Amino acid sequence: MSVSTVVPREQTQKILDRRAPVATRYMASTPFTTTDRLEDCARQFGANVSLMEGDLRYTYAQFNARANQVARALHAKGVRKGDVVALSMENRSAFFFAWMGIAKTGAVAAFLNTHVSGKPLAHALEVTGARYAIVGEECMPRFAETEGIGEHLVYLHWPDAERPAADALRAGFGDDLQQLAAQEPSDNVPVEWREDLRAGDTAQYIFTSGTTGLPKAAVVSHARWLMAGDAMKLLWEIAPSDCFYCFLPLYHGAASMSATSTAMSAGASLVVRRKFSRSEFWSDVRRYQITCCQYVGEICRFLLSAPPQANDKEHSLRKMAGTGLTPEIWQQWVNRFGSQFRIYEGWGGTESNTNTVNVDNHVGSCGRVPFWEKTNLRLVRYDQEKGDYIRDENGFLQLAGVNEPGEALGMVIQHPEVVAGRFEGYTNVEATEKKILRNVFQQGDAWWSSGDLLRCDEHGYCWFVDRIGDTFRWKSENVSTMEVTDALVEFPGADAVTVYGVQVPGHDGRAGMAALVMLPGVAFDADGFWKLALERLPRYAAPLFVRLMDTPDMTGNYKLRKVDLQKQGFDASLVSDPLYIRDDRLKTYVPLSPQAMAEALRG
């Protein structure tokens, strides 16, 4: 089938209807959890390879045994049902053993971004209420440089052969959990440890950036994690013989929810890589006979930028799922690497209570809604200039028209037993309430506000348009402009700092740009700004562009006019102010030029 073939409306719905029974399989009171899924895998697929990392191989039986040992070691340290255990570790097999060991005690795992330190790290530990922290040796330096986080935590660490920590540093992170676990029995732990734990209870906290500054901890129940895997197994037609490539960070929902849960639902394999490598991608695919992988649009662009090879079409990869694949990159990908791909471009998020997925290879679309009455998704009219909804004469929101961009909303199912369609929210009650719109189409209804603009064409195909507000997405990461601003406002000599995302031709998402107003008589210190940005922010969040302005661009009520700044971007025909771009090789910001931009984007 051609990737541009439009599948008939009825056939598309049949594919989508495969996951309908999944919604009724896991009620809130269902006595089945993440742990039960792993133990079922050990019984049903015990001899199947579950995890591959380098030359290491672990069957499902071995995976389950390792998790049991970790659980016993944690239990001996005092971890009990309901406790929160923070997990800071890069992608490796040990992450899975620690994660599932936490689950087997009945505790909640809080996945920490391995790039953050300082205030964001302290915030993550505080909002999750973590009492214990499992820290991989590779992440120890970020904890060590963050003040005031050790007093209330019980630390355990996990060795890292690739990047071992110094003895003096390791001494501050408690016992060696790997060593403790190795001394424990490997049989299944007592079910009494998880007594009364149900599918609707919290399994994990996964951080997601919003528009309110520091990242929020999204609540993920056992049921949501299980449903994600069961639904994707059916939609992607995953079998035990399939093999997933896991290079996206496990602290995000894409890898830990979609990929891991889907693989375990089918008894399939996972190949774990620390991080994406353009040079090693296809050799890994061929070495491990990988059939499935997740992507973000940037990943595909990076792979296409490598020189063509004679064996580009000789590989086992057949199924890809992700977000941000533009029609142009999609078509280039298929032309170069083969027409056999099933590409499941989707829309949704870690905390979302609704989603769409492209099941019929329609290039560029993030999904199709043949019958709106069968989904809780709606698109409503939104005025981007005013930053507000367009309402009817009764004050209710209006549905967006055909091909009219509208904000995606998900109707909140308000039933104590139903998890599908429930908005599980965040650890912060106020942050949760801010994402719920009430009295949207009628009095008493409630809808989750996504902050994303989609449009839907006359055939029911949905297309991602943009992100509303002060969050932009770059290098597959959500970036909060407020968080970036907070990190940069203390730049010496700066009178005002405005941060926003700008579109870069040929690249998915938006790159960060900072408009600076310097105090009179103070020159812009390009080296100092680079140093401050890269010390305080992950690389993906540090502004790629800088604009030096005489005065901040404000509205009459003293709100920064970010919409205009975004529109102007770094277009020299629209901007007369000095423009700079980040040069990580020189560790500074240099005047913007075509050559400087090519160098920056090449990195």
Side-chain angles (χ1 to χ4, degrees), residues 12-315:
T12 300
Q13 190 58 49
K14 286 180 181 178
I15 297 172
L16 294 173
D17 280 346
R18 293 177 189 165
R19 61 177 179 177
V22 174
T24 59
R25 189 176 302 159
Y26 304 106
M27 296 289 101
S29 62
T30 302
F32 195 85
T33 67
T34 305
T35 295
D36 297 299
R37 171 54 45 83
L38 176 57
E39 293 182 357
D40 277 359
C41 284
R43 284 188 290 268
Q44 297 174 31
F45 313 110
N48 290 17
V49 174
S50 62
L51 298 172
M52 289 180 270
E53 179 188 6
D55 294 328
L56 298 174
R57 301 287 189 278
Y58 300 95
T59 65
Y60 272 105
Q62 291 170 326
F63 179 5
N64 185 56
R66 292 292 185 98
N68 284 325
Q69 291 177 303
V70 172
R72 293 180 186 279
L74 291 175
H75 195 267
K77 282 292 181 180
V79 177
R80 296 293 185 270
K81 186 182 75 172
D83 286 340
V84 177
V85 182
L87 177 57
S88 182
M89 194 182 294
E90 292 181 351
N91 283 23
R92 47 195 181 110
S93 299
F95 186 104
F96 293 90
F97 304 151
W99 168 17
M100 290 297 162
I102 294 168
K104 281 176 175 280
T105 68
V108 177
F111 297 156
L112 302 184
N113 187 325
T114 56
H115 295 288
V116 302
S117 60
K119 185 178 178 180
L121 177 56
H123 166 80
L125 294 167
E126 179 183 354
V127 299
T128 56
R131 293 183 55 202
Y132 299 83
I134 302 172
V135 182
E137 279 188 301
E138 70 276 20
C139 299
M140 285 180 181
R142 297 193 179 276
F143 277 75
E145 65 191 33
T146 302
E147 297 180 358
I149 62 171
E151 295 86 350
H152 67 286
L153 286 173
V154 175
Y155 281 113
L156 294 159
H157 73 266
W158 200 289
D160 182 10
E162 285 190 21
R163 279 183 288 164
D167 291 342
L169 179 58
R170 192 185 304 113
F173 287 89
D175 292 327
D176 182 332
L177 181 56
Q178 182 184 42
Q179 189 177 76
L180 293 177
Q183 301 168 14
E184 296 287 346
S186 61
D187 54 311
N188 284 337
V189 303
V191 294
E192 289 77 20
W193 290 4
R194 304 184 303 278
E195 189 174 4
D196 296 327
L197 194 66
R198 295 292 182 261
D201 294 331
T202 301
Q204 300 132 33
Y205 294 129
I206 298 179
F207 281 87
T208 177
S209 294
T211 59
T212 55
L214 291 168
K216 298 185 290 291
V219 176
V220 178
S221 67
H222 293 274
R224 280 194 64 218
W225 188 86
L226 292 162
M227 285 191 294
D230 285 7
M232 293 303 102
K233 177 186 72 173
L234 295 170
L235 290 179
W236 302 346
E237 298 178 309
I238 303 299
S241 57
D242 276 307
C243 180
F244 281 80
Y245 194 16
C246 182
F247 56 81
L248 295 178
L250 281 162
Y251 59 75
H252 273 177
S256 59
M257 278 184 67
S258 298
T260 304
S261 182
T262 304
M264 291 179 65
S265 178
S269 305
L270 279 158
V271 173
V272 188
R273 173 174 271 277
R274 291 279 179 129
K275 56 187 68 175
F276 167 73
S277 169
R278 178 170 54 187
S279 61
E280 297 296 327
F281 182 91
W282 289 112
S283 61
D284 277 352
V285 167
R286 297 181 180 104
R287 174 186 178 185
Y288 297 104
Q289 289 297 292
I290 291 165
T291 59
C292 312
C293 86
Q294 288 180 294
Y295 65 83
V296 291
E298 262 327 83
I299 296 295
C300 299
R301 189 187 66 79
F302 283 147
L303 291 167
L304 285 167
S305 68
Q309 303 295 319
N311 63 344
D312 274 343
K313 289 185 170 68
E314 298 171 10
H315 57 81

Side-chain angles (χ1 to χ4, degrees), residues 500 502-503 513 545 547 564-572 574-575 579:
Y500 48 99
V502 294
Q503 291 182 326
M513 188 165 188
F545 301 98
R547 174 178 177 174
D564 291 344
L565 293 173
Q566 285 177 323
K567 287 180 178 178
Q568 295 165 5
F570 50 89
D571 188 340
L574 301 175
V575 180
L579 296 171

Side-chain angles (χ1 to χ4, degrees), residues 316-332:
S316 54
L317 191 59
R318 294 293 180 267
K319 301 166 188 177
M320 298 172 59
T323 60
L325 195 60
T326 64
E328 296 78 14
I329 297 298
W330 185 321
Q331 200 63 63
Q332 290 176 38

Side-chain angles (χ1 to χ4, degrees), residues 410-468:
M411 182 176 65
V412 178
I413 306 301
Q414 303 180 71
H415 188 288
E417 270 294 287
V418 178
V419 178
R422 180 171 77 178
F423 177 51
E424 297 187 326
Y426 313 100
T427 55
N428 183 286
V429 175
E430 182 180 356
T432 300
E433 189 59 32
K434 283 183 177 179
K435 292 292 288 183
I436 300 176
L437 301 178
R438 301 189 183 278
N439 305 320
V440 172
F441 297 114
Q442 61 184 25
Q443 291 294 324
D445 64 0
W447 294 75
W448 168 70
S449 169
S450 72
D452 286 339
L453 293 173
L454 306 183
R455 67 174 176 86
C456 184
D457 67 18
E458 62 274 18
H459 301 293
Y461 285 103
C462 295
W463 310 79
F464 179 78
V465 177
D466 210 343
R467 179 83 182 146
I468 295 173

Side-chain angles (χ1 to χ4, degrees), residues 9 13 369-378 411:
R9 206 166 174 249
Q13 190 58 49
V369 183
F371 305 103
W372 287 94
E373 67 274 13
K374 293 190 176 184
T375 177
N376 67 330
L377 172 69
R378 298 292 184 272
M411 182 176 65

